[in-house]
Amino acid sequence: MEQERQSDRILEPVLKDEMKAIMARRKKINQDVSEAVPDDLFGIALSGGGIRSATVNLGLLEVLNKCGILKLADYLSTVSGGGYIGGEGNWTPYRT
């Protein structure tokens, strides 16, 4: 139990800085920033599977951008082939 509390204390400043960054990005795109910790955090996960996965994920990001959804993402998680596209950074300009 004590170790759990210690890890909470260690993570608290990290989570606080993370929320500051999310709120600053949301403010930049005129998204609601009324809560200290928003209850509508939104992430995108790009799956793996090599170059085919990278191609599918690129298409997904293009559609999400076209629909105005990509810029609302607070997090991006990738693995394997999804990392080709997510790590490339080509999706970043669409978010601002």
Side-chain angles (χ1 to χ4, degrees):
M1 198 71 157
E2 177 59 34
Q3 188 172 2
E4 184 178 321
R5 289 188 199 132
Q6 184 179 1
S7 65
D8 287 349
R9 285 191 296 266
I10 292 169
L11 287 176
E12 190 174 321
V14 173
L15 294 174
K16 188 175 179 179
D17 287 346
E18 183 176 335
M19 284 302 113
K20 279 185 192 176
I22 288 172
M23 299 308 266
R25 185 195 55 77
R26 285 181 168 201
K27 195 177 226 179
K28 186 176 178 181
I29 63 168
N30 297 319
Q31 193 176 355
D32 181 31
V33 292
S34 59
E35 297 178 51
V37 178
D39 61 358
D40 62 348
L41 293 172
F42 168 60
I44 297 171
L46 303 178
S47 66
I51 196 67
R52 278 184 275 179
S53 171
T55 304
V56 168
N57 287 321
L58 176 60
L60 171 70
L61 291 177
E62 288 177 346
V63 169
L64 291 176
N65 180 56
K66 194 173 191 176
C67 295
I69 297 171
L70 183 60
K71 68 181 179 182
L72 302 176
D74 298 308
Y75 297 97
L76 177 69
S77 177
T78 67
V79 64
S80 188
Y84 293 140
I85 297 305
E88 172 60 27
N90 284 337
W91 64 280
T92 314
Y94 302 124
R95 296 186 58 198
T96 55

